[in-house]
């Protein structure tokens, strides 16, 4: 009898234990399940959420022909050196479906597993029907069958190297491949969520012609502009020429290409709904007419059309290679809109673009930035192909990313509040003065006179944390605080100047600045993040008051 009782008790506890384990593992599984990446618009402020948390995308894009399994092992160390958190890499239609209907995702898997292993997130760039205003990455079976997959015709009726955006066959073929790719991503990644975004197509539009002049396209072109467009744009209906005048050909191309891309994106999202965006080859300053830049892409004059025809894109993203900071800022201004957060998935490299990243984050609330061609030695035979270190062109950005990583939460928190600013050194711009609520802040560059080899390197983000507290993060700049003019105070005293970083939202102090450090108050070439607390001192110091204003 005793043994029976003991056995029953043992059985009972094993049952209870296993039940508990099952319940626990279920909860753990639920807890562990990572949410898919998403873009949230909270009171007009856009944020990328990754693994359920705000994420500042500090990216790097591969050179066009580098996303191959055999090449990637040499690239991971360089990405680590760059301190980036996201890799942007192409998936080539001609690779995944080299034979019609047969799919091979070996290279995509290397990207996903490799990124995951290296602690990176991944943005997939779909090189499908459109790549830089042409059809460079389409499979041979698409290129060789012009009957079924027609090209756009130019005004002389000659086919160009661009697929027609109105061909149902092409849309279906591209969509089919894209959806297969999204299914594969869902299959291999929905537990880990390494893939956070997809860019369906790359710099779409048509080079060599301002629009498609095929018979089918002409028929549409000489008809009326579709209602959704005229209504959406608040224009009276009419033909393309009547409604859009000199921009008619471009607007026509934009509408049909945007619809093409929207259709494949919608189908892809049905399978796996990661955020999708499209990037632009800009028209500004170098190109005279559509066709010299991809006509019908999301260029600044076509943004409104794209917004109507491609609502699946969370943003029209800016590829930006303009070396001149005025051009850079002008373009950022055009692409940062209430309906379009600024995202720079491609930018140039070197110290200029390292400085411009500060404008993007500080003045234009960019949600992501990424230099292009992180592994350029693969294409340039003069370079040592065995080299696995980051090219020196990217070193200033590696320093930036290290610093942005320390304050990314704060950057995102301050963006859109008016309390984040950028101070950037430019030729002929040696100072920048800010007026905050209680203080004026002057940033001076080129001090002390270091040997910077003629380079201008000063770049700072300034965040007002409270009326008397500031975050200053940057390189090569001197800072000077004064109480706001006419505020009745004559001096700004440092209560505390802490150098450090944020980790999981908590500030961590590495050292306090005082003595010579504060006397000079210069951010060093390797950069520093400071949290500064000030106090205003009242005095009757008349020198602070301009004589003309004395009562
Ligand atoms: C912009 C394109 O989107 C990239 O794929 C690449 O071709 C660069 N231009 C090259 O500068």
């Amino acid at each position: 009898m005793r043994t029976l009782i003991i056995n029953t008790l043992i059985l009972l506890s094993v049952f209870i234990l296993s039940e508990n384990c099952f319940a626990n593992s279920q909860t753990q599984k639920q807890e562990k399940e990572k949410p898919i990446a998403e873009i949230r618009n909270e009171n007009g402020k856009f944020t990328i959420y990754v693994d359920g948390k705000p994420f500042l995308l500090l990216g790097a894009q591969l050179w066009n022909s580098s996303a191959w399994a055999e090449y990637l092992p040499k690239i991971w160390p360089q990405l680590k050196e760059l301190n980036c958190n996201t890799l942007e890499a192409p998936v080539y239609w001609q690779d995944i479906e080299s034979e019609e209907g047969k799919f091979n995702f070996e290279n995509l898997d290397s990207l996903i597993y490799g990124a995951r292993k290296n602690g990176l997130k991944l943005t997939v760039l779909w090189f499908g029907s459109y790549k830089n205003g042409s059809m460079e990455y389409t499979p041979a079976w698409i290129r060789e069958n012009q009957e079924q997959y027609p090209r756009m015709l130019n005004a002389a009726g000659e086919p160009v190297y661009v697929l027609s955006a109105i061909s149902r066959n092409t849309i279906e073929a591209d969509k089919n491949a894209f959806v297969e790719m999204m299914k594969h991503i869902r299959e291999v990644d929905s537990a880990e969520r390494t893939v956070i975004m997809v860019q369906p197509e790359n710099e779409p539009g048509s080079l060599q012609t301002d629009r498609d002049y095929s018979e089918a396209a002409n028929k549409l072109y000489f008809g009326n502009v579709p209602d959704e467009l005229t209504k959406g744009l608040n224009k009276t209906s009419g033909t393309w020429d009547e409604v859009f005048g000199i921009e008619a050909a471009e607007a026509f191309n934009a509408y049909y290409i945007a619809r093409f891309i929207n259709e494949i994106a919608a189908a892809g999202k049905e399978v796996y709904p990661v955020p999708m965006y499209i990037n632009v080859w800009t028209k500004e300053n170098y190109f005279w007419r559509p066709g010299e830049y991809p006509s019908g892409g999301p260029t600044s004059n076509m943004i409104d059309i794209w917004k109507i025809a491609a609502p699946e894109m969370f943003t029209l993203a800016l590829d930006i290679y303009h070396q001149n900071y005025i051009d850079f800022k002008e373009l950022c201004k055009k692409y940062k809109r209430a309906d379009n957060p600024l995202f720079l998935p491609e930018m140039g490299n070197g110290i200029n673009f390292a400085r411009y990243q500060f404008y993007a984050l500080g003045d234009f609330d960019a949600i992501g930035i990424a230099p292009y061609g992180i592994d350029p030695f693969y294409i340039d035979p003069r370079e040592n192909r065995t080299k696995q270190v980051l090219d020196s062109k990217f070193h200033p950005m590696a320093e930036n990313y290290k610093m942005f990583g320390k304050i990314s939460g704060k950057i995102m928190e301050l963006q859109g509040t008016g309390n984040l600013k950028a101070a950037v050194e430019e030729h002929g711009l040696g100072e920048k003065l800010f007026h905050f609520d209680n203080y004026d802040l002057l940033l001076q560059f080129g001090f002390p006179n270091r040997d910077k080899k003629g380079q201008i390197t000063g770049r700072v983000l300034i965040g007002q944390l409270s009326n008397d507290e500031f975050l200053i993060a940057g390189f090569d700049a001197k800072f000077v605080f004064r109480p706001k003019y006419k505020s009745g105070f004559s001096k700004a005293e440092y209560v505390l100047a802490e150098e450090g970083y944020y980790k999981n939202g908590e500030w961590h102090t590495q050292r306090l600045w005082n003595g010579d450090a504060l006397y000079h108050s210069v951010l060093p070439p390797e950069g520093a993040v400071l949290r500064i607390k000030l106090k205003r001192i009242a005095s009757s110091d008349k020198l602070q008051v301009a004589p003309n204003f004395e009562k």
Side-chain angles (χ1 to χ4, degrees):
M1 184 63 185
R2 212 171 136 220
T3 350
L4 187 73
I5 293 174
I6 289 171
N7 279 348
T8 321
L9 277 174
I10 288 173
L11 266 179
L12 205 69
S13 44
V14 166
F15 176 74
I16 291 170
L17 263 177
S18 62
E19 274 294 279
N20 270 343
C21 285
F22 179 71
N24 277 345
S25 76
Q26 280 298 90
T27 351
Q28 272 165 10
K29 200 174 156 210
Q30 271 161 15
E31 273 169 11
K32 268 196 196 157
E33 208 152 88
K34 292 182 180 170
I36 196 162
E38 59 170 328
I39 308 293
R40 287 193 208 157
N41 178 353
E42 290 153 320
N43 303 320
K45 179 169 160 175
F46 290 88
T47 310
I48 309 168
Y49 276 78
V50 168
D51 299 336
K53 291 187 229 125
F55 184 80
L56 185 65
L57 194 151
L58 304 173
Q61 186 163 143
L62 292 189
W63 197 258
N64 283 168
S65 300
S66 299
W68 294 85
E70 286 190 35
Y71 279 78
L72 290 173
K74 294 178 184 158
I75 296 172
W76 302 119
Q78 295 170 61
L79 294 168
K80 192 173 170 52
E81 225 184 308
L82 183 65
N83 302 309
C84 61
N85 59 23
T86 304
L87 169 64
E88 301 172 348
V91 170
Y92 318 105
W93 189 4
Q94 65 178 175
D95 170 41
I96 65 157
E97 197 186 6
S98 58
E99 217 179 301
E100 190 175 357
K102 291 201 176 136
F103 290 92
N104 171 2
F105 294 107
E106 203 185 309
N107 291 308
L108 173 58
D109 285 343
S110 303
L111 281 172
I112 297 178
Y113 299 138
R116 196 181 290 163
K117 197 168 150 211
N118 286 278
L120 294 170
K121 294 294 181 185
L122 179 68
T123 293
V124 167
L125 315 173
W126 171 235
F127 283 10
S129 297
Y130 296 98
K131 163 69 175 73
N132 295 21
S134 73
M135 47 182 286
E136 283 174 7
Y137 285 87
T138 48
W141 54 270
I142 290 276
R143 298 175 192 210
E144 283 166 0
N145 192 346
Q146 291 193 41
E147 283 280 292
Q148 212 172 336
Y149 307 108
R151 313 276 170 97
M152 285 192 189
L153 302 187
N154 64 18
E158 299 150 349
V160 293
Y161 194 46
V162 189
L163 287 169
S164 169
I166 57 170
S167 155
R168 194 30 55 196
N169 289 343
T170 306
I171 297 173
E172 293 302 332
D174 189 319
K175 186 163 63 181
N176 184 50
F178 186 71
V179 165
E180 287 302 319
M181 177 182 79
M182 295 308 294
K183 277 187 199 161
H184 186 77
I185 294 175
R186 179 183 64 193
E187 197 180 302
V188 300
D189 197 45
S190 48
E192 296 287 342
R193 312 288 196 196
T194 300
V195 177
I196 56 168
M197 274 188 204
V198 170
Q199 178 195 289
E201 315 295 346
N202 188 86
E203 293 192 347
S206 64
L207 288 176
Q208 302 166 34
T209 184
D210 56 2
R211 74 167 170 91
D212 185 356
Y213 289 83
S214 64
E215 209 184 311
N218 280 345
K219 213 166 145 206
L220 292 169
Y221 184 80
F222 294 118
N224 268 4
V225 174
D227 274 356
E228 69 157 345
L229 206 49
T230 41
K231 282 200 182 119
L233 296 172
N234 227 349
K235 290 181 182 279
T236 33
S237 57
T239 64
W240 288 87
D241 284 327
E242 285 163 353
V243 175
F244 293 101
I246 194 161
E247 288 185 331
E250 199 177 354
F252 175 81
N253 245 23
Y255 178 69
Y256 284 103
I257 293 173
R259 273 174 48 127
F260 179 127
I261 293 176
N262 200 60
E263 184 174 333
I264 71 154
K269 277 193 199 173
E270 248 175 58
V271 172
Y272 194 61
V274 283
M276 298 197 186
Y277 70 92
I278 193 68
N279 59 337
V280 60
W281 171 332
T282 59
K283 74 194 279 283
E284 271 73 8
N285 303 353
Y286 309 126
F287 306 101
W288 283 10
R289 44 193 80 199
E292 288 172 1
Y293 60 86
S295 178
T299 45
S300 54
N301 56 333
M302 295 290 127
I303 292 179
D304 291 334
I305 294 178
W306 271 81
K307 284 286 162 192
I308 293 165
E312 296 292 345
M313 304 298 107
F314 78 82
T315 202
L316 309 175
L318 191 50
D319 292 351
I320 192 160
Y321 293 87
H322 294 62
Q323 287 283 351
N324 175 318
Y325 81 98
I326 298 173
D327 286 346
F328 185 95
K329 288 173 75 173
E330 282 300 309
L331 275 165
C332 289
K333 213 181 281 175
K334 288 181 185 170
Y335 280 81
K336 176 191 155 43
R337 309 185 350 162
D339 59 356
N340 203 70
L342 186 70
F343 178 42
L344 308 178
E346 286 184 36
M347 66 194 316
N349 51 52
I351 185 63
N352 282 357
F353 287 93
R355 289 200 316 280
Y356 301 166
Q357 289 187 331
F358 280 69
Y359 291 126
L361 295 176
D363 292 344
F364 299 98
D365 303 334
I367 58 169
I369 46 181
Y372 171 75
I374 189 72
D375 54 319
F377 61 90
Y378 284 115
I379 221 70
D380 187 340
R382 289 164 307 182
E383 296 267 358
N384 175 2
R385 281 164 183 263
T386 57
K387 187 166 80 175
Q388 287 185 36
V389 292
L390 185 68
D391 191 287
S392 61
K393 293 196 281 269
F394 296 97
H395 287 175
M397 283 185 181
E399 289 171 342
N400 281 5
Y401 278 9
K402 194 169 167 196
M403 174 173 288
F404 297 151
K406 293 177 182 176
I407 54 170
S408 58
K410 264 295 158 213
I411 293 177
M412 290 184 285
E413 197 182 305
L414 292 167
Q415 282 180 331
T417 63
N419 289 326
L420 186 67
K421 319 256 181 222
V424 181
E425 180 179 12
E426 300 296 349
H427 284 294
L429 284 183
E431 296 187 334
K432 178 101 187 179
L433 179 62
F434 296 99
H435 301 287
F436 292 99
D437 297 334
N438 285 355
Y439 300 90
D440 293 335
L441 167 63
L442 182 69
L443 271 306
Q444 293 177 301
F445 302 110
F447 179 93
N449 235 346
R450 286 196 201 94
D451 176 22
K452 297 202 284 176
K453 298 196 180 104
Q455 287 203 330
I456 43 176
T457 51
R459 52 201 198 278
V460 188
L461 284 180
I462 301 116
Q464 182 177 220
L465 303 177
S466 74
N467 278 350
D468 295 304
E469 277 180 304
F470 293 85
L471 185 73
I472 298 194
F475 305 81
D476 283 327
K478 177 178 171 63
F479 53 91
V480 183
F481 283 98
R482 287 216 185 146
K484 203 178 184 73
Y485 174 60
K486 278 288 193 183
S487 60
F489 295 90
S490 64
K491 262 179 89 178
E493 215 176 73
Y494 288 106
V495 177
L496 210 53
E498 304 163 276
E499 183 177 346
Y501 55 88
Y502 289 93
K503 196 163 183 197
N504 301 325
E506 293 291 319
W507 174 260
H508 174 84
T509 304
Q510 288 172 297
R511 63 168 169 168
L512 299 178
W513 277 32
N514 229 319
D516 289 349
L518 274 187
Y519 175 75
H520 294 295
S521 57
V522 174
L523 299 169
E526 66 277 13
V529 176
L530 292 171
R531 202 169 69 156
I532 287 176
K533 185 149 195 245
L534 298 163
K535 181 175 165 46
R536 293 177 299 168
I537 306 292
S539 97
S540 55
D541 185 353
K542 289 281 191 301
L543 287 176
Q544 291 293 320
V545 184
N548 289 347
F549 293 97
E550 265 185 329
K551 286 191 188 133

